[in-house]
Amino acid sequence: MQIELPSGIIKGVISGKKKKDSKYDKARIQKILIGNDVFIQLSLFTDKQVFHSNYKENEINNKIIELLETDFNNLELYTNEFIYSYRITSKGKVLNNRRKNNELLSTIDHNKKKKYILEEGTIVPPLIDLGVMLEDGRVVKAQYDKFKQINRFLEIIDDSIKDEKELSIIDFGCGKSYLTFILYYYFKEIKKININIIGLDLKEDVIDNCNKIAEKYKYANLKFYKGNITDYAKTNRVDMIVTLHACDTATDYALYHAINMKCKYIFSVPCCQHEINNQLSTDILHPINKFGILKDRFSALLTDSIRANILQYYGYKTNVMEFVDFENSPKNLLIRATLTNNSLNNKIKEEIINLVNEYNIKQTLYELTIKNEK
Ligand SMILES: C[S@@+](CC[C@H](N)C(=O)[O-])C[C@H]1O[C@@H](n2cnc3c(N)ncnc32)[C@H](O)[C@@H]1O
C-alpha cells in the first residue's frame, strides 16, 4: 500500500474494521518511555481483551501499514504539531488530510519542555479518575505543577533503585495518592516489577476513593488504609518508604518507621516544619527570629539537617536535594537515603547531639531515636 506516515507520532487510533468478523475491533497507538528509551505501544482491542506490544519508533509505521492492509480502513495519528487522518476507500484508494494539533493544554513550550519519565500524552488511567489527566493523556493545566512534582519524584526513585525484581513500598500521608498511583503504574505496568504498595493517610474519604480507583483498575497489590503514621505497625517486609509533603512531625514518624524496618530506600519531601519553629527562642537567635520568613526557613533547615544526619548515623547514604524548582513548590527539598551500612556512625551521633543541645530543642525524630537509645 502506498502510504506515507509522519515521524514523531505521539498517539493515534486505528478503526473501521474491514470485515465484520475480524478479531480486533480497533487499535490504539501511544508513545511511552521505558527507562530512557522511547517506544510506541500498539494496543489491539477485541471485545473482551487488549493486547499490547511495543515497537521502536522506526518500526511502528510498517506495523500500522500492515494493519491498514489487512484489518482497518481508518487511521488518525497525532504528532506534537499535526493531526493526520487517513481513510482507505472501498476501491483501496488512500484519502488523507492534516490539521494543526491545538490539543495540548499546558502552555509550556515543547522545545523547552523537559522530558519526563511519564511524558504528557502517556495515559496513566488512575490519573484520569483523580482529575490530573484527560482521557487522551493531556494534563489538566491546573494540575501541571503536581504532575511535574510526581514525575520528578519518580525520576529520582528510578535513578536510585538498581536491579530490583520486587519492591514493597509504603506512601506515608498519601492524600489523594497521585504519587502512589503513578508509582504503581510505573513499576507494575512499565517496568514489570513485582510490586506491593500501601498508602496510609488520616482521611477516610480519600482512602475510600483511592481504594475504589485501585479496584476499578484491578490493581491487586495496591491498598490504602486509614490510619495515623504515628501508630503504624509493620506487618511485612518494606523496601521503600515515600512521603510527599507529609505534615510537620508526620515525616519524622515515617522516617522513624523506615529506620526501624531497615527499609533500603527512603524518599521524603518534608512539609510545614512547625515543631522547632515554636522552640527557637534563644537570645542568640533573635536576629533571625525577628524576621518571620527567616525563622521559618531556619527552623525548617535545622529540622531537615537533624533528620538527614540521623539517617546517616543509622547507615544511610543520604542526600538532600531540590527535587523541583522553587516556583513549582517552595516545599521542594527531598531527602533521599539508601541503606548501605549496618553500623552506627558515632561521630555523626555526637554532632547531632551537640546541634540539638546548642539550640535547646526537642525534635521528634531525635527524641524517637538517639534520645531514646538505651
Ligand atoms: C499535603 S498532603 C500531601 C498528600 C500527598 N502525599 C500529595 O503529595 O499529594 C499531606 C497528607 O498527609 C496526611 N497526614 C498528615 N499527618 C498524618 C498522620 N499523622 N498520619 C497519616 N496521614 C497524615 C494528611 O491527611 C494529608 O493527606
Side-chain angles (χ1 to χ4, degrees), residues 66-199:
E66 190 187 309
L67 287 169
L68 289 176
E69 283 170 346
T70 53
D71 292 279
F72 299 103
N73 284 323
N74 302 332
L75 167 68
E76 192 157 67
L77 288 178
Y78 289 64
T79 66
N80 276 332
E81 285 77 30
F82 297 106
I83 303 171
Y84 297 82
S85 300
Y86 302 82
R87 190 166 71 81
I88 320 288
T89 66
S90 51
K91 291 188 176 140
K93 204 171 157 213
V94 182
L95 305 177
N96 64 313
N97 66 54
R98 185 185 88 166
R99 62 191 190 276
K100 191 111 187 74
N101 181 1
N102 296 319
E103 281 213 338
L104 292 179
L105 288 189
S106 65
T107 51
I108 294 183
D109 175 349
H110 279 269
N111 295 322
K112 290 187 193 151
K113 203 166 153 186
K114 192 181 171 315
K115 268 196 160 186
Y116 293 116
I117 287 198
L118 296 173
E119 277 194 82
E120 181 162 10
T122 308
I123 298 168
V124 183
L127 291 194
I128 299 170
D129 300 71
L130 291 168
V132 176
M133 242 175 213
L134 301 180
E135 297 264 332
D136 56 9
R138 284 177 295 157
V139 175
V140 174
K141 200 168 168 183
Q143 296 285 359
Y144 206 83
D145 279 347
K146 198 76 209 174
F147 180 71
K148 198 168 160 185
Q149 276 175 35
I150 48 185
N151 241 316
R152 258 308 275 157
F153 207 111
L154 182 61
E155 198 170 80
I156 292 166
I157 293 179
D158 190 60
D159 257 7
S160 313
I161 63 161
K162 301 276 174 269
D163 302 327
E164 302 290 352
K165 299 278 179 292
E166 52 178 35
L167 277 174
S168 165
I169 305 176
I170 299 189
D171 183 351
F172 282 118
C174 56
K176 288 188 180 154
S177 302
Y178 310 116
L179 175 67
T180 340
F181 278 106
I182 275 227
L183 283 175
Y184 191 86
Y185 177 84
Y186 182 67
F187 285 123
K188 177 89 183 152
E189 306 283 333
I190 297 185
K191 300 282 274 190
K192 310 282 184 210
I193 289 179
N194 237 334
I195 192 97
N196 205 301
I197 306 190
I198 286 177

Side-chain angles (χ1 to χ4, degrees), residues 281-300:
S281 55
T282 61
D283 289 344
I284 192 100
L285 288 177
H286 185 248
I288 294 175
N289 288 350
K290 66 183 171 186
F291 300 107
I293 181 76
L294 296 184
K295 188 181 181 201
D296 284 354
R297 298 258 175 96
F298 183 73
S299 48

Side-chain angles (χ1 to χ4, degrees), residues 146 149 171-179 200-203 206 227-230 243-247 250 271:
K146 198 76 209 174
Q149 276 175 35
D171 183 351
F172 282 118
C174 56
K176 288 188 180 154
S177 302
Y178 310 116
L179 175 67
L200 184 77
D201 202 283
L202 287 172
K203 294 179 191 149
V206 291
N228 195 323
I229 300 170
T230 321
T243 74
L244 178 54
H245 298 148
C247 320
C271 182

